[in-house]
């Protein structure tokens, strides 16, 4: 028995109310980390354009590579790359947390909060560690 | 067996049950991406400090180019599946959902071809 509804035109959209969710739920560590996991994933998806630009410039010759280096070395470029690094590391740590939970571990009342907290503190620490090699 | 007497429409719906497959490949690519991400972070740090010639020669080595290609394969597959989940969750309009999924797929293929094309070009270059 099919449960999907046919495509609706704008005139046929129903006026049924939705139950409140974002307005009333108290943010928990696990809930916020889950949302951030998805957001970082989407940001990483978009940011692959930057990586592609860089790799293609490497294969295109020294002049193009140099101009891309200049763009990436600007303060805005560095800011974006820093953000991208953080998103990458945070998404990876969050992914490890999800993999742990896939095996049924880490659902206890205290450990699930700890795992979520370590995802954030770990990502901040590791991002700063990686970028210390860039700046120092 | 279940499909023996299915109408074409039901047959199509039964064949489109890819949920478990996506779940598994999302985990497999994620697992592969853990060491590959660590590798690529170290690689980018090193390459950014090298002059152009040295950077080229580094990437030409198969010890480097093969992990980069693996990263591209696992990463693009992982991001295709991930974005598919996001689109399926938030876009309810049937035609907009289909168009978005198609665009996402084409974007991922473009990324895969552009990046791996660059790496392969360097691998076969005579510099």
């Amino acid at each position: 028995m099919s449960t999907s509804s046919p495509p609706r035109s704008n005139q046929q959209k129903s006026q049924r109310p939705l139950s409140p969710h974002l307005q009333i739920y108290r943010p928990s560590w696990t809930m916020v980390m889950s949302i951030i996991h998805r957001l970082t994933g989407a940001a990483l998806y978009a940011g692959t354009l930057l990586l592609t630009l860089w790799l293609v410039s490497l294969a295109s010759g020294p002049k193009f590579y140099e101009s891309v280096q200049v763009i990436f070395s600007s303060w805005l470029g560095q800011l974006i790359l820093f953000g991208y690094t953080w998103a990458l590391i945070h998404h990876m740590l969050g992914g490890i947390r999800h993999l742990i939970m896939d095996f049924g571990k880490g659902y206890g009342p205290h450990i699930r909060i700890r795992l979520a907290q370590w995802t954030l503190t770990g990502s901040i620490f590791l991002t700063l560690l990686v970028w210390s090699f860039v700046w120092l | 067996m279940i499909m023996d007497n299915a109408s074409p429409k039901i047959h199509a719906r039964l064949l489109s049950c890819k949920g478990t497959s996506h779940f598994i490949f999302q985990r497999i690519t994620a697992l592969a991406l853990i060491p590959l991400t660590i590798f690529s972070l170290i690689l980018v740090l090193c390459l950014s400090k090298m002059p152009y010639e040295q950077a080229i020669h580094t990437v030409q080595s198969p010890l480097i180019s093969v992990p980069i290609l693996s990263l591209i394969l696992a990463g693009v597959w992982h991001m295709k599946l991930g974005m598919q989940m996001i689109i399926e969750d938030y876009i309810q309009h049937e035609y907009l959902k289909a168009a978005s999924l198609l665009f996402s797929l084409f974007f991922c293929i473009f990324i895969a071809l552009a990046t791996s094309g660059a790496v392969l070009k360097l691998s076969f270059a005579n510099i």
Side-chain angles (χ1 to χ4, degrees):
Chain A
M1 194 67 149
S2 164
T3 52
S4 64
S5 54
R8 314 177 111 180
S9 66
N10 280 333
Q11 297 111 323
Q12 292 170 330
K13 247 196 169 80
S14 83
Q15 303 301 313
R16 291 187 207 136
L18 293 172
S19 62
H21 46 94
L22 287 175
Q23 303 101 299
I24 60 161
Y25 272 88
R26 182 163 157 256
S28 65
W29 273 98
T30 47
M31 167 180 152
V32 172
M33 284 305 120
S34 176
I35 293 169
I36 293 185
H37 190 80
R38 183 161 268 201
L39 285 175
T40 50
L44 289 166
Y45 179 95
T48 52
L49 283 169
L50 295 171
L51 293 176
T52 309
L53 177 68
W54 184 72
L55 263 178
V56 167
S57 78
L58 192 64
S60 297
K63 280 203 210 103
F64 189 22
Y65 183 67
E66 186 59 41
S67 43
V68 168
Q69 286 283 77
V70 166
I71 296 171
F72 281 2
S73 309
S74 68
W75 69 268
L76 185 61
Q78 293 281 285
L79 190 66
I80 292 174
L81 286 175
F82 184 83
Y84 193 81
T85 314
W86 174 79
L88 181 65
I89 294 175
H90 187 92
H91 193 84
M92 179 173 77
L93 292 180
I96 292 173
R97 180 173 143 263
H98 278 90
L99 281 170
I100 294 173
M101 295 178 97
D102 279 345
F103 285 96
K105 308 286 177 201
Y107 282 94
H110 302 294
I111 188 63
R112 66 188 179 89
I113 306 288
R114 288 276 168 257
L115 284 174
Q117 289 170 335
W118 293 337
T119 306
L120 186 61
T121 51
S123 69
I124 294 173
F125 172 73
L126 287 172
T127 306
L128 290 172
L129 180 68
V130 166
W131 274 82
S132 67
F133 286 102
V134 175
W135 291 323
L136 297 174
Chain B
M1 266 180 55
I2 271 180
M3 294 189 192
D4 283 347
N5 297 314
S7 68
K9 196 172 173 185
I10 302 295
H11 193 239
R13 282 182 193 264
L14 288 171
L15 283 176
S16 68
C17 294
K18 300 275 230 78
T20 305
S21 158
H22 283 185
F23 183 93
I24 291 172
F25 281 119
Q26 192 72 321
R27 268 67 183 170
I28 292 177
T29 51
L31 216 52
L33 280 169
I34 296 173
L36 287 171
T37 303
I38 297 170
F39 165 83
S40 61
L41 279 172
I42 298 173
L43 178 68
V44 168
L45 274 176
C46 294
L47 287 179
S48 67
K49 296 186 190 288
M50 288 179 190
Y52 180 74
E53 294 287 328
Q54 194 186 356
I56 295 285
H57 284 119
T58 309
V59 175
Q60 278 178 329
S61 157
L63 228 58
I64 302 292
S65 61
V66 168
I68 295 179
L69 289 170
S70 310
L71 173 79
I72 293 167
L73 177 63
V76 168
W77 197 352
H78 188 85
M79 81 190 210
K80 183 255 175 202
L81 290 174
M83 187 50 73
Q84 184 176 344
M85 283 171 58
I86 293 176
I87 291 169
E88 285 171 352
D89 277 354
Y90 298 130
I91 300 180
Q92 302 308 323
H93 186 281
E94 198 176 321
Y95 299 132
L96 187 57
K97 181 194 288 194
S100 304
L101 286 170
L102 208 57
F103 176 78
S104 172
L105 176 67
F106 289 171
F107 179 82
C108 293
I109 292 175
F110 163 73
I111 297 289
L113 290 177
T115 48
S116 48
V119 174
L120 289 172
K121 179 184 175 191
L122 285 172
S123 297
F124 295 127
N126 219 3
I127 309 170

